[in-house]
């Protein structure tokens, strides 16, 4: 690409569907089994090859995110932070991050979405490699009427997008991750707020579709997409992570491991991270990866 794509994690909102859990703490700092929720979307951007990331939070939560993640250098990342002080829509993220993006392409992921699967990195890298237009993802669901639905042709060109249609034109829902070229901020600025007073991400996606420049990446059967927006979904996500990790002995969304496999941190840094957490299963896992690491190590875990 002519310019490196930068990432945005939208970790704002009040998390009212998780009250009273989230009265005093951000939803994206809640645990999903053994790690904070924010680790999961961060790992997705990292698997796409994105190293410069802005985390957008509420004013009262930003300090906690900074305390957890710092400047990101321990993961080979450059993290910046910004504030969305009121829920004015997902597309506002591109206006908030406009200076950060500096006229370059972007990828936005919602802070409460979890993705995992063998073919996921390939999906992400293809989306990241596209130099123009936008890319959404298609995830097959049994109840498409409850989601934004994407219809597309055999070449992956988006034909239509509908929000919670009564008669869906496909079974593919659009999950909360979006790749756009350098025009996203300008398109977002040109949008008019919806009836609920927000800049809707659907309108931004539709703008790319109207330009004939919107592609879809279909997530395969082996990819999991889990929301964590209510207590049942949060518990189910935690149970999923526990089962996979216990069965395989591999960590899901282990930021240090992904950074190490990508060559962003070295073995000594990985070992130091493990030693700092040596009393925990997570730390012990990092130490084991560092110990077993070789030039031809196992595939990146997500």
């Amino acid at each position: 690409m002519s310019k490196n794509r930068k990432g945005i994690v939208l970790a704002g909102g009040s998390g009212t569907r998780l009250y009273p859990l989230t009265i005093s703490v951000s939803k994206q700092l809640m645990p999903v089994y053994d790690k904070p929720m924010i680790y999961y979307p961060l790992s997705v951007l990292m698997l796409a090859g994105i190293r410069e990331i802005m985390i957008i939070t509420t004013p009262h939560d930003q300090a906690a995110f900074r305390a957890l993640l710092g400047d990101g250098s321990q993961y080979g990342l450059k993290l910046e932070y910004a504030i969305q002080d009121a829920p004015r829509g997902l597309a506002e993220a591109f206006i908030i991050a406009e200076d950060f993006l500096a006229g370059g392409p972007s990828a936005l992921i919602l802070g409460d979405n979890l993705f995992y699967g063998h073919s996921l990195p390939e999906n992400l890298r293809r989306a990241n490699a596209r130099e123009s237009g936008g890319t959404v993802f298609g995830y097959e669901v049994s109840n498409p009427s409850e989601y934004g639905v994407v219809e597309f042709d055999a070449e992956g060109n988006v034909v239509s997008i509908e929000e919670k249609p009564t008669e869906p034109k496909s079974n593919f829902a659009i999950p909360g991750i979006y790749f756009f070229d350098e025009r996203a901020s300008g398109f977002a600025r040109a949008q008019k707020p919806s009836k609920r007073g927000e800049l809707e991400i659907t309108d931004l996606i539709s703008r790319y579709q109207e330009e004939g420049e919107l592609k879809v990446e279909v997530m395969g059967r082996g990819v999991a997409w889990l929301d964590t927006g209510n207590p049942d979904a949060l518990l189910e996500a935690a149970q999923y992570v526990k089962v996979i990790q216990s069965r395989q002995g591999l960590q899901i969304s282990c930021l240090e491991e992904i950074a190490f496999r990508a060559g962003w941190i070295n073995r000594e840094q990985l070992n130091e991270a493990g030693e700092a957490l040596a009393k925990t299963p997570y730390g012990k896992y990092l130490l084991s990866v560092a110990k077993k690491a070789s030039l031809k190590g196992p595939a990146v875990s997500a």
Side-chain angles (χ1 to χ4, degrees), residues 107-189:
L108 170 69
I109 186 168
L110 305 187
D112 60 356
N113 277 216
L114 185 157
F115 298 92
Y116 177 72
H118 178 70
S119 62
L120 178 63
E122 184 180 346
N123 284 131
L124 295 168
R125 287 193 290 266
R126 277 199 301 266
N128 192 27
R130 292 197 180 102
E131 295 193 13
S132 63
T135 302
V136 295
F137 290 77
Y139 191 91
E140 194 162 12
V141 295
S142 59
N143 52 342
S145 294
E146 297 182 15
Y147 299 92
V149 172
V150 59
E151 178 191 12
F152 51 93
D153 63 22
E155 284 73 46
N157 299 303
V158 174
V159 175
S160 70
I161 297 169
E162 298 176 291
E163 187 65 28
K164 298 182 179 180
T166 304
E167 298 182 5
K169 295 178 180 177
S170 87
N171 288 328
F172 287 89
I174 303 175
I177 178 169
Y178 318 91
F179 284 68
F180 296 119
D181 64 15
E182 70 281 353
R183 294 173 290 174
S185 295
F187 284 169
R189 284 197 174 279

Side-chain angles (χ1 to χ4, degrees), residues 4-12 28 38 40-46 48-57 65 69 77-84 89-113 115 124 128 175-186 188 201 204 208:
N4 289 333
R5 191 182 304 272
K6 296 182 180 180
I8 305 169
V9 179
L10 190 52
Q28 288 82 13
I38 190 74
Y40 297 90
L42 271 177
S43 75
V44 172
L45 294 178
M46 291 172 70
I50 295 171
R51 301 181 67 178
E52 293 184 64
I53 300 169
M54 171 169 279
I55 299 173
I56 299 178
T57 74
F65 282 97
L69 300 168
L77 303 177
K78 180 181 178 183
L79 297 181
E80 296 189 23
Y81 299 85
I83 286 172
Q84 185 180 46
L90 304 186
E92 192 192 33
F94 295 98
I95 298 174
I96 294 170
E98 188 167 13
D99 290 342
F100 167 72
L101 296 176
S106 58
L108 170 69
I109 186 168
L110 305 187
D112 60 356
N113 277 216
F115 298 92
L124 295 168
N128 192 27
I177 178 169
Y178 318 91
F179 284 68
F180 296 119
D181 64 15
E182 70 281 353
R183 294 173 290 174
S185 295
I201 192 70
L204 180 56
Y208 278 94

Side-chain angles (χ1 to χ4, degrees), residues 12-32:
S14 55
T16 53
R17 290 189 296 159
L18 282 167
Y19 275 12
L21 290 172
T22 51
I23 290 176
S24 62
V25 63
S26 168
K27 172 174 62 175
Q28 288 82 13
L29 292 172
M30 292 292 295
V32 179

Side-chain angles (χ1 to χ4, degrees), residues 165-295:
T166 304
E167 298 182 5
K169 295 178 180 177
S170 87
N171 288 328
F172 287 89
I174 303 175
I177 178 169
Y178 318 91
F179 284 68
F180 296 119
D181 64 15
E182 70 281 353
R183 294 173 290 174
S185 295
F187 284 169
R189 284 197 174 279
Q191 283 183 221
K192 293 182 179 180
S194 64
K195 292 180 180 179
R196 59 178 185 166
E198 296 188 5
L199 296 178
E200 306 290 352
I201 192 70
T202 306
D203 292 340
L204 180 56
I205 295 169
S206 295
R207 177 65 186 272
Y208 278 94
Q209 186 210 343
E210 290 165 5
E211 300 283 334
E213 297 182 77
L214 187 63
K215 291 279 190 177
V216 65
E217 273 289 334
V218 176
M219 291 179 168
R221 294 179 64 157
V223 175
W225 168 38
L226 302 172
D227 188 6
T228 53
N230 61 59
D232 285 343
L234 184 62
L235 177 61
E236 289 167 1
Q239 290 171 329
Y240 174 85
V241 172
K242 180 184 186 302
V243 168
I244 296 296
Q245 291 186 172
S246 298
R247 184 72 170 176
Q248 295 189 322
L250 300 172
Q251 280 277 334
I252 292 176
S253 298
C254 179
L255 304 186
E256 294 89 348
E257 182 185 12
I258 294 170
F260 174 67
R261 302 291 186 204
W264 301 345
I265 64 173
N266 59 37
R267 192 180 308 184
E268 289 70 28
Q269 291 171 297
L270 180 65
N271 197 70
E272 288 176 8
E275 288 178 347
L277 301 170
K279 293 183 179 180
T280 70
Y282 189 89
K284 289 181 174 67
Y285 177 78
L286 296 180
L287 291 172
S288 72
V289 173
K291 184 177 180 180
K292 293 184 291 186
S294 65
L295 290 176

